[in-house]
Amino acid sequence: MAPRTESWGGCDYCGLPLAAPAAAAGPRYCCFGCRFAASITAADGDTGESRWMMTRLGVAVFFTMNVMVFTMLLWSERGGLAEPTATAFYGLARHACLLFTAPVMVLLGGPLFREAGRELIRRRPSLNLLLALGVAAAFLLSVQAVVMDRGHVYFEVSCMVLVAVTLGKWLEASGKLRTTEALRELRTLLPDHVRRVAAAGEEIIPLANARVGDRLRVLPGERIPTDGRISAGRSAIDERTVTGEAVPVVRESGDPVASGTEVIDGPLVVEVTAAAGAGTLERLIDAVASAAAAGTRDQRLAERAAAWFLPCVVVAAAAAFVAHAWRAGWSKEGVAAGTMAAIAVVVVSCPCALGLATPMALWAAVGLAARRQVLVRDADAFVRLGRTGTLCFDKTGTLTTGLAVRDLHSDSDIGDDLLGIAAALARGSTHVLSRAIEAEAGRRGVAPAAVADLRVIAGRGIEGRLADGRIARLGSDAWMATVVADELPAVAADRAICRLAIEHRLVGTIAFDESIRREAAAAIAALTAEGIDAWLLSGDRAARAAAVAERLGIRSAAPLLPDEKLAFVRAHAPAAMVGDGINDAPALAAADVGVALGCGADVSRWTAGICLLRDDLGDLPWLVSLARRTARTIRWNLVWAFAYNAACIPLSATGIVHPAVAAAAMVASSLFVVSGSLALAREPAAAAVPCDPVTARGTGLGRAVA
């Protein structure tokens, strides 16, 4: 895991850590998006205020649409109208544009201008300050034109920039909120109260009061509340939350256990080794929050670009004003000419094309992906997917769909009765291996044998009495070694097994193998053909992970805990992580791109930047191709936007380009960027396929024995 940094508390909207201490008392937000989103959703809980604030964005969009209508009217021909009538008619349209733009400036411009002011105070200018400058210049120039009744108006520029920027910030903040909501739900896995074993007996205490050295009793079906070591008892434990492994593992006295894991079949007494809040599950949650709060390379690049672009624009505008005024001897006409040149510089440098270069291409691609039921929550992650060279896959639930019976080895005396007896015993358990045995018996049409007095032996297996009175036992090697007299035959280490014994004689072995998703091999082959290096990361045994990886033709790394997966992904950056479980959440959040399967755990879906709602790995090669085309479009848009500014700013500063022409050039540049971006959406998407959680993720994990 990454080293812990100094904490400044959390954002009052999304809950993610703050990168710096709050400047003043009151609500604290990590970004402009969260500050605006909090105002819209009325985070203080006032229902009436919430309903009013949620209408602000919608009202602003309504006024913007009206501004666009009147702007189109101003651009139309005056043919057929007498000059006085045309003048009055067009004057009315100009005043209507001002009337409808004013609410937009208040509703959406206010938060942007306040954020720009804070950036000036902190001396950390970014694109927000540049956008605010361009919006203000276009608006003030238009107001001057209306008041003086001459010149062109550019109200539509202010409105469109504000709506586009605000919508993007709102979506970003909403995504962060959903991530932290999933983390809060994950914390509910741990109990609020625990049973502490003391000399005078057991007592119920809050989990927060548990101390290192305390002994806690955990019953079957309950989750271990904090990291510890078993001091008494033996049980199969579902560790999927931590390791992602589908098969429960047997833990007994002296073995370490992790918080958030579930005790399946035997009561345990656990000695606390980590204070409440410092266990494995809590560290996993902290890793997700820290990774989600980290800034992206694209964000840092935008900030660096704004840091030099904004001063250049200001210097160019000031130089244009001084040069024109000085050349005219600081006369009234010279000052007016200088003012117009300065305004032209600001207007032409208004980063409309620059601001639209990325979002328009992304929105077009994201809309196309949505038609294929691929949910893109983080547009930056989608772009990075096209640049990634390494793709890491979780095993259980991602590349595989669960365990299935692969081999039956029976004694000659029992023959075909092996599966019938095993299925009868398996009915007494909800263990994943028991479910696989029952499924195999049903597939083969084998009826369960008559077995009575079923009894679960915690952490070992199941036993029952056959019709002839003999005792049949189904369970682990560790148990069978104490039951049968003969030496157990060896089985490949890459398979899960269980043994069947009657009385004290081993009569059969059942081997299980993981079922690989039907589309996984083709998807990985297509990705490999594109030059992507694929890895399998798993918390399972190294032999099992290697066996699955070999069948798919990729490399594997196992066993890995959640923080080790996170370290692996960071070491192979730029890398994408594909997973579906809670244990994958830190790696999904820390990876350059996190891709979650739609039927996976909530926290994995909401910490990943991309979610495959169809649970179809075949969507990955298509998505990588789309991301690469989108990245190329964005690069071309940015090249055009910067080239446009580099060419037009000098022309505006010299007075060659009038503010009206500058505005027209700005609109033309934006239209060029928009048309190029929308071309991405012309590719037809595949028809939607509903996601079936049962067939997509296999049998699931139950409570029983190993």
Side-chain angles (χ1 to χ4, degrees):
M1 293 181 59
R4 183 179 297 273
T5 57
E6 186 174 1
S7 174
W8 303 109
C11 172
D12 288 336
Y13 179 73
C14 71
L16 293 179
L18 295 174
R28 302 175 301 173
Y29 303 105
C30 62
C31 66
F32 162 57
C34 283
R35 182 175 290 106
F36 180 75
S39 69
I40 290 181
T41 56
D44 58 2
D46 186 338
T47 304
E49 182 68 11
S50 173
R51 292 178 179 176
W52 156 242
M53 296 301 289
M54 287 178 66
T55 64
R56 290 173 59 179
L57 185 58
V59 170
V61 171
F62 168 77
F63 284 126
T64 299
M65 293 172 61
N66 283 274
V67 171
M68 297 303 296
V69 169
F70 284 106
T71 300
M72 293 175 64
L73 177 62
L74 290 175
W75 288 355
S76 63
E77 297 291 337
R78 300 190 180 194
L81 293 177
E83 184 60 30
T85 304
T87 301
F89 192 70
Y90 279 82
L92 179 62
R94 289 155 63 91
H95 283 81
C97 286
L98 172 60
L99 178 65
F100 285 114
T101 302
V104 179
M105 295 295 292
V106 174
L107 295 171
L108 304 185
L112 179 62
F113 294 140
R114 286 193 294 272
E115 184 67 18
R118 294 186 184 97
E119 291 175 355
L120 277 177
I121 294 174
R122 295 194 299 262
R123 297 181 181 179
R124 296 178 59 186
S126 72
L127 189 60
N128 291 326
L129 187 58
L130 193 57
L131 287 168
L133 184 61
V135 167
F139 179 73
L140 293 176
L141 180 63
S142 301
V143 170
Q144 180 191 37
V146 172
V147 172
M148 300 181 67
D149 196 23
R150 67 173 181 270
H152 295 272
V153 295
Y154 317 104
F155 292 114
E156 76 285 354
V157 174
S158 300
C159 293
M160 289 300 296
V161 171
L162 286 175
V163 169
V165 170
T166 302
L167 182 58
K169 293 291 186 180
W170 162 250
L171 293 176
E172 177 187 357
S174 297
K176 289 194 292 184
L177 179 63
R178 295 301 298 268
T179 295
T180 52
E181 284 178 346
L183 295 179
R184 285 191 287 268
E185 292 175 2
L186 184 56
R187 293 185 189 276
T188 63
L189 290 176
L190 299 180
D192 295 327
H193 293 78
V194 295
R195 303 177 189 85
R196 183 167 61 186
V197 180
E202 291 187 7
E203 57 179 340
I204 306 297
I205 64 170
L207 174 59
N209 293 345
R211 298 292 181 265
V212 175
D214 286 350
R215 299 169 69 240
L216 308 178
R217 185 178 301 279
V218 187
L219 302 180
E222 297 180 344
R223 292 190 180 271
I224 296 174
T226 187
D227 288 3
R229 190 173 301 277
I230 299 176
S231 60
R234 173 189 175 95
S235 175
I237 296 181
D238 175 3
E239 296 185 342
R240 182 174 57 177
T241 302
V242 175
T243 67
E245 167 53 25
V247 180
V249 296
V250 177
R251 302 296 185 195
E252 55 188 5
S253 181
D255 289 339
V257 289
S259 63
T261 57
E262 183 180 1
V263 177
I264 293 179
D265 55 13
L268 299 175
V269 176
V270 177
E271 180 181 350
V272 177
T273 59
T280 299
L281 182 64
E282 293 90 333
R283 293 199 305 271
L284 184 153
I285 296 172
D286 291 342
V288 174
S290 298
T296 65
R297 290 194 300 270
D298 291 342
Q299 290 171 335
R300 292 191 291 270
L301 178 62
E303 291 175 358
R304 288 197 298 269
W308 64 261
F309 187 58
L310 177 62
C312 288
V313 172
V314 173
V315 170
F321 172 79
V322 172
H324 285 274
W326 177 78
R327 187 172 59 183
W330 296 97
S331 62
K332 183 177 180 181
E333 292 76 11
V335 171
T339 301
M340 293 299 291
I343 291 177
V345 169
V346 174
V347 170
V348 82
S349 64
C350 179
C352 295
L354 184 61
L356 292 173
T358 297
M360 284 305 300
L362 289 175
W363 293 343
V366 167
L368 179 62
R371 290 165 53 197
R372 193 175 174 122
Q373 290 202 334
V374 175
L375 175 63
V376 178
R377 296 182 52 256
D378 184 348
D380 286 339
F382 174 68
V383 174
R384 293 194 299 272
L385 180 62
R387 299 196 297 261
T388 186
T390 303
L391 204 54
C392 302
F393 292 87
D394 174 50
K395 177 174 70 69
T396 305
T398 301
L399 293 176
T400 64
T401 58
L403 293 172
V405 174
R406 284 292 177 261
D407 294 308
L408 297 171
H409 302 281
S410 60
D411 187 278
S412 58
D413 294 339
I414 190 172
D416 295 337
D417 293 336
L418 169 65
L419 188 56
I421 296 174
L425 293 171
R427 289 188 300 179
S429 167
T430 57
H431 192 282
V432 63
L433 298 184
S434 298
R435 302 281 68 79
I437 291 172
E438 288 190 275
E440 182 67 13
R443 188 182 68 83
R444 297 190 182 192
V446 176
V451 177
D453 302 330
L454 288 176
R455 186 164 69 97
V456 174
I457 310 300
R460 295 179 179 270
I462 315 164
E463 68 177 20
R465 187 177 301 279
L466 300 176
D468 59 9
R470 294 180 297 170
I471 300 298
R473 298 178 177 87
L474 180 70
S476 65
D477 273 5
W479 187 29
M480 291 301 157
T482 65
V483 172
V484 302
D486 299 330
E487 184 178 352
L488 300 176
V491 178
D494 61 343
R495 291 188 173 183
I497 63 167
C498 65
R499 312 279 191 175
L500 178 64
I502 297 180
E503 292 298 332
H504 299 287
R505 186 168 67 89
L506 182 69
V507 298
T509 299
I510 304 176
F512 304 84
D513 204 353
E514 292 191 271
S515 300
I516 295 179
R517 287 178 178 269
R518 63 182 182 275
E519 76 277 8
I524 289 178
L527 292 168
T528 304
E530 292 295 324
I532 293 178
D533 188 18
W535 281 81
L536 183 153
L537 309 184
S538 176
D540 201 354
R541 299 176 186 175
R544 292 182 185 173
V548 174
E550 184 178 359
R551 292 162 64 185
L552 293 170
I554 60 178
R555 290 179 287 177
S556 65
L560 299 177
L561 293 175
D563 55 344
E564 293 172 329
K565 286 186 180 181
L566 185 151
F568 184 95
V569 169
R570 284 177 171 166
H572 289 75
M577 177 70 192
V578 185
D580 75 323
I582 293 172
N583 65 297
D584 301 320
L588 288 170
D592 291 87
V593 186
V595 182
L597 298 186
C599 297
D602 281 348
V603 70
S604 68
R605 289 198 301 269
W606 294 115
T607 53
I610 300 171
C611 184
L612 306 181
L613 297 180
R614 298 198 304 175
D615 247 34
D616 186 352
L617 291 177
D619 287 335
L620 267 178
W622 174 87
L623 192 63
V624 170
S625 175
L626 178 63
R628 289 179 174 178
R629 290 190 292 111
T630 303
R632 287 195 297 268
T633 301
I634 290 175
R635 284 196 297 269
W636 173 245
N637 286 348
L638 290 174
V639 167
W640 167 261
F642 278 111
Y644 152 80
N645 280 282
C648 291
I649 288 178
L651 294 175
S652 301
T654 56
I656 297 176
V657 176
H658 188 271
V661 178
M666 179 181 60
V667 173
S669 176
S670 299
L671 289 176
F672 180 84
V673 168
V674 170
S675 61
S677 300
L678 293 180
L680 288 169
R682 294 171 188 167
E683 177 187 337
V689 176
C691 175
D692 182 352
V694 177
T695 59
R697 304 198 66 217
T699 58
L701 186 64
R703 301 188 187 100
V705 296

